[in-house]
Amino acid sequence: MKGKVYLVGSGPGGKALLTLRAQQVLEEADVILYDQLPGPEILAGLPERAEKIDCGKFGGQHTLEQDEIEEIMVARALEGKKVVRLKGGDPFLFGRGGEELGVLRERGIPVELVPGITSAIAVPGAVGIPVTHRKYASSVTILTGHEDPEKDGSAIDWENLAGNRGTLVILMGVRNLPAIAENLVSHGKDPGTPVAIIERGMRPDQRVTTGTLATIAGIARERQVRPPAVIVIGDVVRLYREGEPGLVPL
Ligand code: SAH
């Protein structure tokens, strides 16, 4: 008898933003594979009875490689178990959900998808930065900043991004922020374009840092900005009001 794998998004952090379906499948799970991105509140509340596997710290030390994670999911499902693969935000946005779905399909394992609220939209939104706005931006592009912007044959089309008048949202971009800002400006984007960085969005220790393409790298260094953070570039950042309380209860 085959079990099932649930690819589940936890939302950006905090139980309030976990969907009802995500809570339900977590409660019924036999096995939960997670990493740290869902955040302490959700991870601390995982049900007692399930076997819990920390993919970032397996056996106390080693990080599970992607193929090892996939093997564990498949093996447990073949034992007839309900397996939850819990991911931050939505499983299909830079979460390797697509790859995992591919493997599970290939191996004939039944899958259920439980979408999550993505940090790319919710984290800026929760501090009062709408990623689109009739007056400021009619499109939004979400990209990973993880890729080394100096690397040859980069998959990122800087020319196109610099010319894009919509909002740019960058995930995993803290380390490469100086190179990203520099690349956008050298490809023609206005150095005065406003930028916001939201660290640990929708968590009690959330912090917002603002600047422009010209200044943000220096400001981020000074304030020691650390991941996880969402970076928003574009005129919508002008809508941010510092210290505005309670847009979303944390
Ligand atoms: N699937 C996730 C993204 C995974 S990539 C989603 O849909 O949200 C991991 C990146 O997401 C982090 O490096 C950071 O850029 C962003 N991120 C996720 N949760 C966040 C949070 N609560 N606050 C700030 N950034 C977050």
Side-chain angles (χ1 to χ4, degrees), residues 129-183:
I129 304 174
V131 292
T132 69
H133 186 289
R134 273 167 58 101
K135 199 164 145 201
Y136 297 105
S138 50
S139 68
V140 53
T141 303
I142 302 170
L143 61 143
T144 167
H146 190 59
E147 195 177 311
D148 181 355
E150 311 298 335
K151 142 177 137 189
D152 283 344
S154 158
I156 294 179
D157 180 348
W158 293 105
E159 190 122 4
N160 177 301
L161 288 176
N164 187 322
R165 292 183 21 244
T167 305
L168 301 179
V169 173
I170 305 178
L171 302 188
M172 299 177 279
V174 171
R175 194 165 52 89
N176 288 327
L177 179 61
I180 292 167
E182 205 177 287
N183 264 311

Side-chain angles (χ1 to χ4, degrees), residues 21-224:
R21 185 62 185 150
Q23 284 179 47
Q24 197 174 30
V25 300
L26 281 169
E27 272 154 28
E28 291 168 2
D30 300 310
V31 184
I32 302 170
L33 293 114
Y34 63 95
D35 42 47
Q36 291 304 314
L37 192 60
E41 198 194 342
I42 288 172
L43 296 178
L46 293 179
E48 276 297 309
R49 60 171 285 273
E51 176 193 6
K52 291 177 279 295
I53 302 177
D54 182 346
C55 299
K57 236 190 350 202
F58 189 59
Q61 30 175 336
H62 112 150
T63 303
L64 284 181
E65 299 296 331
Q66 183 63 20
D67 56 348
E68 296 177 292
I69 296 171
E70 289 161 1
E71 277 319 307
I72 295 174
M73 288 194 301
V74 169
R76 297 292 196 280
L78 290 175
E79 290 166 14
K81 301 208 161 121
K82 285 190 174 174
V83 181
V84 170
R85 175 69 176 115
L86 185 67
K87 292 165 180 291
D90 183 88
F92 283 166
L93 187 74
F94 303 132
R96 308 191 78 158
E99 289 163 56
E100 291 173 11
L101 175 62
V103 168
L104 296 165
R105 276 176 171 159
E106 235 169 64
R107 305 285 287 270
I109 310 286
V111 183
E112 182 181 318
L113 296 166
V114 183
I117 296 178
T118 181
S119 66
I121 295 173
V123 164
V127 300
I129 304 174
V131 292
T132 69
H133 186 289
R134 273 167 58 101
K135 199 164 145 201
Y136 297 105
S138 50
S139 68
V140 53
T141 303
I142 302 170
L143 61 143
T144 167
H146 190 59
E147 195 177 311
D148 181 355
E150 311 298 335
K151 142 177 137 189
D152 283 344
S154 158
I156 294 179
D157 180 348
W158 293 105
E159 190 122 4
N160 177 301
L161 288 176
N164 187 322
R165 292 183 21 244
T167 305
L168 301 179
V169 173
I170 305 178
L171 302 188
M172 299 177 279
V174 171
R175 194 165 52 89
N176 288 327
L177 179 61
I180 292 167
E182 205 177 287
N183 264 311
L184 288 171
V185 172
S186 70
H187 285 84
K189 201 156 178 78
D190 178 358
T193 308
V195 182
I197 309 172
I198 307 114
E199 294 170 83
R200 299 175 299 279
M202 315 198 75
R203 310 220 175 128
D205 53 349
Q206 166 179 291
R207 181 171 73 153
V208 184
T209 297
T210 55
T212 64
L213 275 182
T215 63
I216 196 70
I219 297 172
R221 194 183 334 108
E222 229 163 74
R223 286 170 55 97
Q224 304 196 14

Side-chain angles (χ1 to χ4, degrees), residues 6-30:
Y6 300 80
L7 295 178
V8 178
S10 71
K15 278 193 183 149
L17 297 172
L18 200 61
T19 64
L20 293 173
R21 185 62 185 150
Q23 284 179 47
Q24 197 174 30
V25 300
L26 281 169
E27 272 154 28
E28 291 168 2
D30 300 310

Side-chain angles (χ1 to χ4, degrees), residues 224-247:
Q224 304 196 14
V225 168
R226 298 273 175 272
V230 173
I231 302 169
V232 187
I233 303 175
D235 286 331
V236 289
V237 171
R238 298 184 197 285
L239 295 161
Y240 174 64
R241 298 281 171 271
E242 197 177 332
E244 186 171 25
L247 277 178

